[in-house]
């Protein structure tokens, strides 16, 4: 099986300079990330990683 890991980008500024801060967010299907550029916290839908 190939490793098709998606690159997470910030929802606000589209930066790829992000850090994962929590495996779960407001729902179990999202992860929380922090953008090191615009200093925003955002959620990314985890099922996109498959």
């Amino acid at each position: 099986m190939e490793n098709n890991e998606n690159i997470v980008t910030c929802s606000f500024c589209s930066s790829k300079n992000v850090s994962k801060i929590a495996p779960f967010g407001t729902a179990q299907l999202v992860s929380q990330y922090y953008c090191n550029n615009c200093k925003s916290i955002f959620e990314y839908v985890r099922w996109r990683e498959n």
Side-chain angles (χ1 to χ4, degrees):
M1 179 181 238
E2 285 183 36
N3 184 6
N4 289 337
E5 188 173 322
N6 288 341
I7 297 173
V8 178
T9 58
C10 176
S11 302
F12 300 101
C13 71
S14 300
S15 171
K16 295 178 186 171
N17 184 16
V18 299
S19 303
K20 189 175 199 175
I21 59 172
F24 299 105
T26 56
Q28 288 186 354
L29 72 140
V30 297
S31 297
Q32 286 187 330
Y33 285 83
Y34 176 77
C35 178
N36 296 305
N37 285 356
C38 72
K39 314 291 190 244
S40 298
I41 295 174
F42 64 96
E43 294 181 332
Y44 178 78
V45 179
R46 291 188 304 123
W47 59 262
R48 291 183 190 166
E49 294 175 357
N50 292 344

